[in-house]
Amino acid sequence: DIQMTQSPSTLSASVGDRVTITCRASQSITTWLAWYQQKPGKAPNLLIYKASSLESGVPSRFSGSGSGTDFTLTISSLQPDDFATYYCQQYNSYPYSFGQGTKLEIK
Amino acid sequence: EVQLVESGGGLVQPGGSLRLSCAASGFTFSSYVMNWVRQAPGKGLEWVSAITGSGDGTYYADSVKGRFTISRDNSKNTVYLQMNSLRAEDTAVYYCAKRGSGSLSSYFQHWGQGTLVTASS
């Protein structure tokens, strides 16, 4: 089974900051990686798929990169609506797996 | 517009059973793999199970294998999760999720609102 490890677990930042979240897979998943944003009490929302493809309707300040085992999600200039929890997910093979999440907090 | 509406959650004693339903609309249901994903209170996301569009292929997380069964009724545009031998650690919000379009789009593009399952005495 493929294990996904995100870092950091918590990130404190300010509006306007550039932030990066890292996700590492325990084996190569080529680019079969997605990123989701989740707000309290709500279902997750797809941001990025295939490691770097932006989902329709998602602001361009979100971007993804990486391949193989190492991936990043970058928010170029944090907005108040971006404070949430972010998850990576591999869909290279079953059982699909998620990272443990990164909570982005207001500094 | 894609809509996924889960139902069937509730309080059940450990060892008991529950069947969740997810009613889908806004897309050609029989063409898509459907998934269940859960989230324990205050915890992260865990993929639970998937079923192919025709229903002839099913996949499970090790944590539920042998206890949960996924199925679908394409005439009713509904996917089900039969949960038996429930444990306290199965307590979670259960989400129904639809994959993206295209043959290599197995990410979760659409999600339901979730239904809460509580296994407790």
Side-chain angles (χ1 to χ4, degrees):
Chain A
D1 297 359
I2 299 173
Q3 314 301 322
M4 305 300 292
T5 304
Q6 277 181 246
S7 60
S9 296
T10 307
L11 180 56
S12 297
S14 302
V15 172
D17 284 354
R18 178 185 180 90
V19 299
T20 298
I21 299 169
T22 298
C23 180
R24 174 164 288 175
S26 60
Q27 64 188 74
S28 177
I29 57 171
T30 60
T31 55
W32 304 123
L33 183 102
W35 290 97
Y36 303 88
Q37 177 193 67
Q38 188 180 33
K39 296 181 178 179
K42 300 293 188 182
N45 182 50
L46 175 68
L47 300 175
I48 301 284
Y49 61 94
K50 206 168 183 297
S52 60
S53 296
L54 192 68
E55 171 67 352
S56 176
V58 174
S60 59
R61 63 181 179 272
F62 291 91
S63 64
S65 65
S67 65
T69 61
D70 294 315
F71 303 87
T72 59
L73 173 71
T74 299
I75 310 173
S76 60
S77 178
L78 273 174
Q79 299 302 301
D81 191 50
D82 300 338
F83 292 95
T85 301
Y86 293 84
Y87 295 92
C88 62
Q89 179 237 335
Q90 69 82 14
Y91 53 98
N92 179 78
S93 60
Y94 289 115
Y96 294 160
S97 47
F98 291 88
Q100 80 278 16
T102 295
K103 186 175 183 180
L104 182 51
E105 299 180 330
I106 301 174
K107 184 184 287 184
Chain B
E1 178 193 4
V2 172
Q3 286 201 320
L4 302 170
V5 180
E6 301 96 334
S7 61
L11 176 63
V12 61
Q13 289 193 340
S17 298
L18 213 54
R19 188 177 84 155
L20 305 183
S21 300
C22 171
S25 60
F27 62 101
T28 306
F29 181 70
S30 60
S31 296
Y32 287 88
V33 172
M34 296 297 294
N35 297 266
W36 288 96
V37 177
R38 69 183 180 183
Q39 186 169 38
K43 303 297 184 182
L45 300 168
E46 179 187 17
W47 174 82
V48 173
S49 184
I51 186 167
T52 58
S54 62
D56 60 356
T58 57
Y59 307 87
Y60 298 94
D62 287 345
S63 58
V64 307
K65 202 172 293 183
R67 300 187 299 122
F68 289 11
T69 302
I70 191 171
S71 62
R72 65 192 296 159
D73 185 337
N74 287 345
S75 69
K76 296 182 178 179
N77 286 1
T78 301
V79 61
Y80 304 98
L81 187 67
Q82 177 67 43
M83 303 185 296
N84 298 331
S85 303
L86 280 161
R87 305 167 180 168
E89 55 264 36
D90 296 318
T91 294
V93 173
Y94 285 74
Y95 294 102
C96 172
K98 170 192 168 292
R99 59 168 282 167
S101 301
S103 60
L104 300 176
S105 303
S106 295
Y107 49 86
F108 306 137
Q109 188 176 37
H110 298 99
W111 299 68
Q113 84 288 351
T115 188
L116 176 62
V117 172
T118 304
S120 173
S121 54

